[in-house]
Amino acid sequence: MKISQKSQILEGSNAIAEVIKNIRPAVVSAYPITPQTHIVEDLAKMKADGQADFEYIRAESEFAAASIVAGASATGVRVYTATSSQGLLLMAEVIFNIAGMRLPVVLTCANRGVSAPITIWNDHQDAMTVRDAGWIMFFAENHQEAVEQHILAYKLAESLKLPVMVNIDGFVLTHSYESVIIPTAKEIKRFLPDYKPTKDEYLDIKNPISLGTFAAPPYYMEIREQLYRDLMNAENKINEEYQKLAKAIPGVIKPKEKMTKINDGLIEYYGPSNPKTVLIAMGSMVGTIKDVIDEANSNWLAKKMGLPTVALAKVGVLKIKCFRPFPADAILKIIKNARYVGVLEKAVSLGATEGPLAIEIKTAAHNQTKAKIQSFIVGLGGRDVTKDMIKKIIIEVKKKDDKIKFIGKV
Amino acid sequence: MSNHKTMKQIRIHGRGGQGVVTAAELIAIAAFYEGHTSQAFPSFGVERTGAPIEAFARIDDKPIRTREHIYRPDFLIIQDATLLLAVDVAKGCNPKTIAIINTAKPKAEIKINLPMENIHAIDATKIALEEIGKNIVNTVILGAFAKTSGLISLKSLEKAIKQKFSEKGEEIISKNIKAITRAYNLTK
């Protein structure tokens, strides 16, 4: 088996466009919005240069773009779209329809905050706002993980008949350069065969059917329950396909780091085996947290930096790669015997007592752990999540107060 | 190839439209071709021409995971000396931080809170106008950075320019390479 392991240095958006090209969708439709724009510009250019043979359909809005890929997907072909922020919100009605019709659409959300006030910068408010729509939702830490999750997304979407959203932090990942391995179309095909829609389940003029039709009270509830259960049951399949991907295309998944104890399709745990404190986060800020964890657990370095060594020791970070379905059991195993759990997130549930991720963690932990779980809001609207903020949270989480905290300054 | 054990952090200051982000990307691309791990990313304030902008690059020999902005730079690149009056460019610098500044003024007249021996002045505007025909100094100043820092070679920088400017055509590439070579040779 020959593997092209050549790493390249690319902009994050370009890396995603390259892997989408090699996944070979039949239809791409999008409306440009910062910070997603470079991805779809690159795809449009690949099409114009004859490097790709998909149909690129220019849309007049995100609502149209989502509708176009929904319609194309319903005819039984592989599709792709990407958006951010207000664009995702404008798509919202179609986002629910796509899941309800069980269409295997894959969408990249270059995460950005939501207006008002207007922000073009990164947070997770856009994705969190459509968390109940029925999509599998991945969050990537770095370029390589984004590449890996897009390939995985198509395999899961097409085998489970569930749409998948891959979330990548706007600017932090879309506009940054780092090295990445992009598997070739041939390598991807070993893991992801050509898409064949199920007979009698797609739009075909020779075999007419209807999709997304009216469901009266005797039927609607069962259909919704089935979607709920199918999405919940996707957990095993996600891990199974993750392992298969690692075997089929070596190099596409980053080698496991020394301090990483668990790494699968749903979560990664990085830190000591019996952590006293666990920080939980999603996306690119996990990279920064890992650096802090190394400092915190290394006493000599902590001393050198004038940090309270005892206060910082035995800290780990739990990265949630998959937010939907929510991997409650896997998370519980990590935090069960911890004393302090700090949930760091870039979104707010306005009017709720915790951030959206912290709500999930508290629900999973209810009556299962004695750990104190606290919600920390960071990085809204592009605020830099610094190492000093993370260190502050490690100290804050040990205090008695368990109310939600916004950490924007140190 | 330089052999450095700790991560090197480079912060670039310029104004919107001066290719600040491109400069950081070129450093990361060149460092990648040197066999290092590298990272580059922008920090846009307001996206408009003339506004102060920062971009960051990191070079290391192990995977770079942190995404925080660069608050404690090892190298400062100042593309526009008027920023010295407008922005605290030396913020977070240490006594070893090296600054490369585009200016026609002699070193003694540069107002920056750094030891004199750490300051490298280069008239990148003059070189850009003569070699490229435009006041775009982002590549020129990297020629000086390559020499001063020893982190990237002229050859890797050329390769980075060829990758990044592949769609701009041969003429622009060769002019930029000539300009960085001149800046490299002028720098002690």
Side-chain angles (χ1 to χ4, degrees):
Chain A
M1 204 161 30
K2 223 185 141 205
I3 307 295
S4 82
Q5 290 245 14
K6 248 179 106 183
S7 76
Q8 309 173 62
I9 182 151
L10 297 175
E11 189 194 48
S13 297
N14 189 229
I16 290 162
E18 287 287 339
V19 75
I20 294 301
K21 180 189 80 182
N22 291 348
I23 286 169
R24 303 196 64 201
V27 175
V28 174
S29 184
Y31 188 80
I33 181 168
T34 302
Q36 150 266 32
T37 315
H38 290 186
I39 302 172
V40 294
E41 273 177 358
D42 283 351
L43 286 167
K45 192 171 182 310
M46 287 165 183
K47 166 69 179 174
D49 291 348
Q51 295 172 25
D53 58 2
F54 48 73
E55 286 294 326
Y56 189 98
I57 304 171
R58 289 194 292 172
E60 78 274 18
S61 71
E62 285 89 356
F63 183 82
S67 302
I68 289 164
V69 294
S73 180
T75 68
V77 298
R78 186 173 286 168
V79 300
Y80 176 75
T81 190
T83 193
S84 293
S85 181
Q86 311 303 124
L88 186 69
L89 299 196
L90 189 56
M91 283 184 179
E93 185 196 312
V94 192
I95 292 291
F96 277 76
N97 268 301
I98 287 169
M101 288 192 282
R102 310 295 300 259
L103 298 173
V105 172
V106 172
L107 177 150
T108 308
C109 183
N111 301 109
R112 160 182 156 182
V114 165
S115 303
I118 297 174
T119 175
I120 59 164
W121 295 279
N122 167 243
D123 69 37
H124 290 167
Q125 196 66 53
D126 49 8
M128 283 301 129
T129 305
V130 296
R131 66 189 172 171
D132 298 333
W135 290 53
I136 291 174
M137 294 173 79
F138 287 131
F139 284 82
E141 181 194 329
N142 48 49
H143 295 192
Q144 194 64 55
E145 203 161 81
V147 165
E148 150 209 322
Q149 288 181 348
H150 278 90
I151 303 170
L152 197 58
Y154 278 94
K155 184 71 173 283
L156 294 164
E158 290 165 8
S159 53
L160 296 169
K161 296 172 189 166
L162 289 168
V164 185
M165 184 180 302
V166 181
N167 291 282
I168 51 162
D169 284 322
F171 288 111
V172 185
L173 295 182
T174 55
H175 287 57
S176 57
Y177 269 69
E178 64 186 37
S179 70
V180 64
I181 293 170
I182 310 283
T184 63
K186 215 172 148 188
E187 286 165 352
I188 290 173
K189 211 171 167 177
R190 281 206 301 262
F191 172 74
L192 178 71
D194 291 340
Y195 174 46
K196 286 196 187 69
T198 311
K199 200 177 166 286
D200 301 330
E201 287 186 15
Y202 64 96
L203 300 180
D204 178 1
I205 46 170
K206 289 176 197 149
N207 183 25
I209 59 150
S210 293
L211 288 172
T213 52
F214 191 74
Y219 304 104
Y220 183 86
M221 194 159 164
E222 281 71 22
I223 295 167
R224 296 301 282 176
E225 185 182 352
Q226 194 187 345
L227 178 55
Y228 172 83
R229 299 212 178 280
D230 287 354
L231 186 54
M232 288 303 279
N233 291 335
E235 265 190 39
N236 288 341
K237 182 79 175 168
I238 293 167
N239 276 335
E240 201 181 290
E241 291 296 344
Y242 183 85
Q243 304 307 337
K244 279 189 196 164
L245 174 63
K247 280 197 193 100
I249 318 175
V252 72
I253 293 173
K254 269 198 175 184
K256 206 165 102 171
E257 296 185 76
K258 215 177 118 192
M259 285 296 284
T260 293
K261 303 288 187 308
I262 296 166
N263 188 31
D264 56 31
L266 304 167
I267 59 158
E268 177 186 353
Y269 172 70
Y270 179 96
S273 298
N274 297 304
K276 257 195 210 162
T277 303
V278 178
L279 301 183
I280 303 182
M282 302 196 292
S284 64
M285 70 167 138
V286 174
T288 314
I289 298 175
K290 283 175 177 170
D291 274 10
V292 174
I293 298 292
D294 285 357
E295 285 180 24
N297 291 323
S298 155
N299 281 352
W300 68 268
L301 191 60
K303 257 183 208 156
K304 199 175 130 193
M305 297 186 65
L307 297 167
T309 53
V310 183
L312 288 180
K314 294 218 101 182
V315 192
V317 59
L318 174 58
K319 174 172 82 184
I320 314 286
K321 294 186 195 179
C322 178
F323 182 74
R324 283 289 182 268
F326 193 73
D329 291 343
I331 292 164
L332 192 57
K333 272 185 201 152
I334 309 291
I335 64 169
K336 209 172 175 164
N337 297 316
R339 283 167 62 186
Y340 309 100
V341 176
V343 184
L344 285 67
E345 57 188 313
K346 293 179 174 177
V348 196
S349 180
L350 296 172
T353 50
E354 331 282 333
L357 177 59
I359 291 172
E360 306 277 346
I361 302 290
K362 283 206 171 178
T363 306
H366 183 64
N367 283 344
Q368 302 288 321
T369 172
K370 285 185 184 131
K372 175 200 157 186
I373 301 168
Q374 191 173 5
S375 182
F376 294 94
I377 309 299
V378 296
L380 298 186
R383 181 68 54 90
D384 191 22
V385 182
T386 66
K387 288 183 181 176
D388 286 347
M389 288 177 195
I390 296 160
K391 285 170 192 166
K392 183 178 176 175
I393 288 169
I394 294 173
I395 293 161
E396 284 290 326
V397 75
K398 291 179 185 168
K399 293 183 180 165
K400 266 202 169 144
D401 176 17
D402 63 355
K403 293 276 185 297
I404 186 168
K405 281 205 167 66
F406 286 63
I407 308 287
K409 289 189 183 79
V410 176
Chain B
M1 190 171 108
S2 68
N3 213 348
H4 53 90
K5 286 200 170 63
T6 55
M7 186 195 282
K8 296 294 178 206
Q9 307 198 93
I10 302 119
R11 191 168 75 204
I12 308 175
H13 294 266
R15 294 186 182 273
Q18 291 181 331
V20 183
V21 179
T22 303
E25 290 167 359
L26 287 168
I27 291 173
I29 299 169
F32 172 80
Y33 289 125
E34 292 288 329
H36 300 306
T37 55
S38 59
Q39 176 199 61
F41 60 104
S43 164
F44 292 113
V46 280
E47 280 184 292
R48 63 164 194 252
T49 305
I53 280 179
E54 292 174 19
F56 313 105
R58 289 190 170 97
I59 302 175
D60 206 341
D61 285 326
K62 54 182 193 302
I64 299 168
R65 302 179 300 196
T66 183
R67 304 279 170 189
E68 78 169 347
H69 294 182
I70 291 174
Y71 299 101
R72 287 176 273 275
D74 299 294
F75 293 90
L76 268 185
I77 295 175
I78 318 287
Q79 291 188 355
D80 186 329
T82 64
L83 284 169
L84 295 172
L85 305 168
V87 182
D88 184 8
V89 291
K91 200 175 178 187
C93 288
N94 63 62
K96 284 182 178 169
T97 304
I98 306 279
I100 302 154
I101 302 169
N102 172 28
T103 179
K105 285 182 187 168
K107 250 166 77 163
E109 287 177 31
I110 299 169
K111 286 188 175 66
I112 185 167
N113 190 17
L114 280 174
M116 188 69 86
E117 63 270 25
N118 295 7
I119 300 168
H120 296 260
I122 180 161
D123 194 351
T125 302
K126 183 170 176 266
I127 297 173
L129 288 171
E130 287 175 10
E131 302 293 346
I132 306 168
K134 269 189 201 166
N135 184 13
I136 301 281
V137 299
N138 62 343
T139 53
V140 183
I141 205 163
L142 293 186
F145 169 75
K147 184 73 156 284
T148 309
S149 69
L151 292 170
I152 52 172
S153 67
L154 196 57
K155 213 177 131 199
S156 294
L157 191 54
E158 282 179 22
K159 214 173 158 183
I161 285 173
K162 283 177 190 163
Q163 174 179 329
K164 184 73 194 166
F165 295 170
S166 63
E167 282 164 19
K168 292 186 190 284
E170 279 304 315
E171 200 193 333
I172 289 181
I173 291 172
S174 63
K175 279 180 177 173
N176 275 283
I177 289 174
K178 231 181 128 193
I180 58 159
T181 310
R182 193 170 144 191
Y184 186 90
N185 291 332
L186 265 176
T187 307
K188 282 166 211 152

